[in-house]
Amino acid sequence: MTDTTTSTFKPGKGAGATVGVAVLGMGTVGTEVLRLLEERKDEFAARIGGNLEVRGIAVSDLSKPRPGVSKDLLTDDALSLVKREDIDLVVEVIGGIDYPRQVVLAALRAGKAVVTANKALIAAHSEELSEAAEAQGVDLFFEAAVAAAIPVVGPLRRSLAGDKVDTVIGVVNGTTNFILDAMYSRGASYEEMLAEATALGYAEADPSADVDGYDAASKAAILASLAFHTRVTADDVHTEGIRTITVEDIEAAKAANSTIKLLAICERLVDEQGQESVSARVYPALVPTSHPLASVNESYNAVFVEAESAGRLMFYGNGAGGAPTASAVLGDVVAVSRNIVHGGRGPGESTYARLPIADFGDVLTRYHVDMHVDDKVGVLAEVSNVFSEQGVSIRAVRQEGLEEGARLVVITHHAKEADLEATVERFKQLESVKAVRSVIRMEG
């Protein structure tokens, strides 16, 4: 296994040289990248110490009108484009995994630096891509893959390289945050807000990647890999979405002085023997209104980092959209182009720690358990005994009457996921517990 913490020095082309750029994809982000490359070319030249020149643009449909773009630059053969001698830097903004992997690998193996905004690609194939970049001594940068314009990859890769990061928690999906924020502020249902998010363009026609947590899981894998110097893939991330969140859950959150956010949580765990492991997980959770992440509203993103020496840091801003994503892409383009002109490389993948991935059942957190129970003497004691038998300590209890029976809300102290799961299974066997309406974790 190759560890690319060390950077191979590659001589530069020389001050004033021109960097040949290939852009793969001309959707919302690609179009914005091309516009800004032209509009700010003099500024970029001054920052780089050399010129940027777009020498090819790969698109899937050559017949589609593309105003302001020379047809001579367009091609539908991305593989041939990235191997051309006059290309130094490839900007990949296609999206997806299989085809971009093929093209990006070809570019890296041909000795081209790569800037990508493709979180799914990085989360799935970071090892293969990083090894290809290392073998050729070229850069692979992906700031835009997590939270668009919010600079978080760079700080984890460079600014916090001298620190020990313990936790990274983020609201990293704008679609789900828009839905949950509107449910909280308006009292609307999930279905209503998903329909509105779709109409406004926040959600895709198939919203599964967002609402089922897969988009956030890719970002969590990247953040955990960077923070803990351990290779983490999307398959290592326990993932749950927001489809089951109800108006009643939102009201319960308000009663607990909290809000509900879909969180990407990356955590360094230490057991009783002092052995470290990594937990990466995505799920909706109650966040106290006093926590900075609770105030992240609409489609905004934020990443909250806790490090041993730096303490608590928060990165906040626009986490999606053509312009914000292009901003992050172009930040990487400038940095990589500077290396191409003057020599050297940025930091590569760092996986020296090789920490094991923690079993999700061993993860400790608090829980908000909402149950429908019989309204009679002894039920509370019976429920309390079940929690006690499974080793789950109760922090607070709230009960209110219903037309039939009662609603019982229990907030626990920190408990293992496996123990809470066993508790819920035990409740299903009790006649006095009509239903476990919801179990929501509490973070922050």
Side-chain angles (χ1 to χ4, degrees):
M1 182 183 294
T2 302
D3 188 343
T4 58
T5 52
T6 58
S7 292
T8 304
F9 183 82
K10 190 170 185 178
K13 297 181 74 172
T18 296
V19 176
V21 179
V23 177
L24 312 183
M26 203 176 164
T28 303
V29 177
T31 299
E32 186 69 8
V33 166
L34 288 165
R35 182 184 72 82
L36 293 172
L37 281 172
E38 176 59 29
E39 186 178 292
R40 299 177 182 171
K41 60 183 178 182
D42 292 340
E43 294 175 60
F44 290 150
R47 295 169 191 176
I48 292 165
N51 297 308
L52 288 174
E53 183 178 294
V54 176
R55 290 174 174 165
I57 304 167
V59 296
S60 58
D61 183 1
L62 289 172
S63 65
K64 183 178 178 180
R66 302 182 191 277
V69 177
S70 170
K71 289 185 178 181
D72 293 339
L73 290 175
L74 299 176
T75 178
D76 58 4
D77 187 355
L79 275 171
S80 295
L81 173 62
V82 302
K83 296 175 184 176
R84 276 174 27 188
E85 288 291 328
D86 62 337
I87 299 299
D88 303 298
L89 168 62
V90 173
V91 178
E92 187 272 308
V93 285
I94 304 171
I97 297 180
D98 293 337
Y99 181 62
R101 169 184 167 271
Q102 182 184 2
V103 178
V104 168
L105 271 175
L108 293 169
R109 288 168 178 167
K112 319 299 184 181
V114 171
V115 169
T116 178
N118 195 331
K119 61 214 168 247
L121 175 64
I122 296 298
H125 296 292
S126 63
E127 179 176 8
E128 185 178 35
L129 299 175
S130 296
E131 287 181 351
E134 176 67 14
Q136 293 296 325
V138 294
D139 284 321
L140 171 65
F141 277 28
F142 47 87
E143 181 66 66
V146 180
I150 304 172
V152 64
V153 170
L156 286 173
R157 248 182 167 180
R158 295 184 287 274
S159 305
L160 292 172
D163 209 334
K164 184 176 184 179
V165 176
D166 294 317
T167 309
V168 181
I169 303 180
V171 174
V172 295
N173 182 270
T175 301
T176 53
N177 200 52
F178 173 82
I179 291 170
L180 292 172
D181 183 55
M183 289 175 69
Y184 185 89
S185 60
R186 300 188 214 170
S189 70
Y190 164 79
E191 291 76 15
E192 289 172 323
M193 293 322 306
L194 174 59
E196 183 172 324
T198 304
L200 291 171
Y202 290 130
E204 302 288 342
D206 177 3
S208 301
D210 293 322
V211 300
D212 291 330
Y214 302 126
D215 173 83
S218 292
K219 296 169 183 176
I222 294 169
L223 291 171
S225 298
L226 293 168
F228 308 126
H229 304 279
T230 294
R231 187 170 292 117
V232 180
T233 71
D235 290 339
D236 297 319
V237 182
H238 175 87
T239 307
E240 300 174 25
I242 68 167
R243 290 183 193 266
T244 60
I245 299 299
T246 64
V247 173
E248 289 75 21
D249 292 329
I250 297 292
E251 291 304 314
K254 290 180 179 179
N257 294 318
S258 299
T259 186
I260 297 179
K261 299 290 185 185
L262 182 72
L263 297 181
I265 303 165
C266 311
E267 193 173 14
R268 184 192 301 271
L269 304 181
V270 184
D271 65 17
E272 294 176 355
Q273 287 73 46
Q275 297 299 309
E276 294 186 346
S277 61
V278 171
S279 170
R281 52 200 194 267
V282 169
Y283 47 60
L286 271 72
V287 179
T289 53
S290 59
H291 194 282
L293 289 177
S295 63
V296 180
N297 55 20
E298 298 181 342
S299 61
Y300 280 79
N301 284 191
V303 178
F304 188 81
V305 179
E306 291 190 68
E308 200 169 88
S309 300
R312 296 178 176 181
L313 309 168
M314 185 158 134
F315 305 86
Y316 171 86
N318 237 325
T325 306
S327 170
V329 168
L330 289 168
D332 280 351
V333 166
V334 169
V336 171
S337 297
R338 194 181 294 123
N339 292 338
I340 291 171
V341 170
H342 301 290
R345 291 179 63 212
E349 184 185 47
S350 171
T351 58
Y352 74 89
R354 297 184 177 87
L355 298 177
I357 306 300
D359 188 299
F360 184 63
D362 293 333
V363 171
L364 289 169
T365 191
R366 295 186 298 140
Y367 301 88
H368 181 281
V369 185
D370 188 342
M371 292 173 281
H372 181 191
V373 301
D374 285 334
D375 190 5
K376 63 182 183 182
V377 174
V379 171
L380 181 56
E382 192 175 10
V383 168
S384 297
N385 283 337
V386 171
F387 276 105
S388 179
E389 287 168 4
Q390 303 302 327
V392 180
S393 175
I394 294 175
R395 179 178 181 180
V397 177
R398 179 167 58 86
Q399 184 171 332
E400 59 187 57
L402 301 173
E403 286 187 13
E404 293 185 16
R407 181 185 186 187
L408 187 65
V409 175
V410 177
I411 295 175
T412 76
H413 287 285
H414 282 86
K416 281 189 176 183
E417 185 75 27
D419 293 338
L420 197 282
E421 203 171 293
T423 302
V424 172
E425 287 301 312
R426 181 74 181 89
F427 284 142
K428 292 178 182 179
Q429 301 167 16
L430 296 183
E431 289 187 11
S432 59
V433 177
K434 301 301 182 186
V436 178
R437 292 152 51 117
S438 70
V439 177
I440 306 178
R441 300 168 186 88
M442 305 183 74
E443 299 286 352

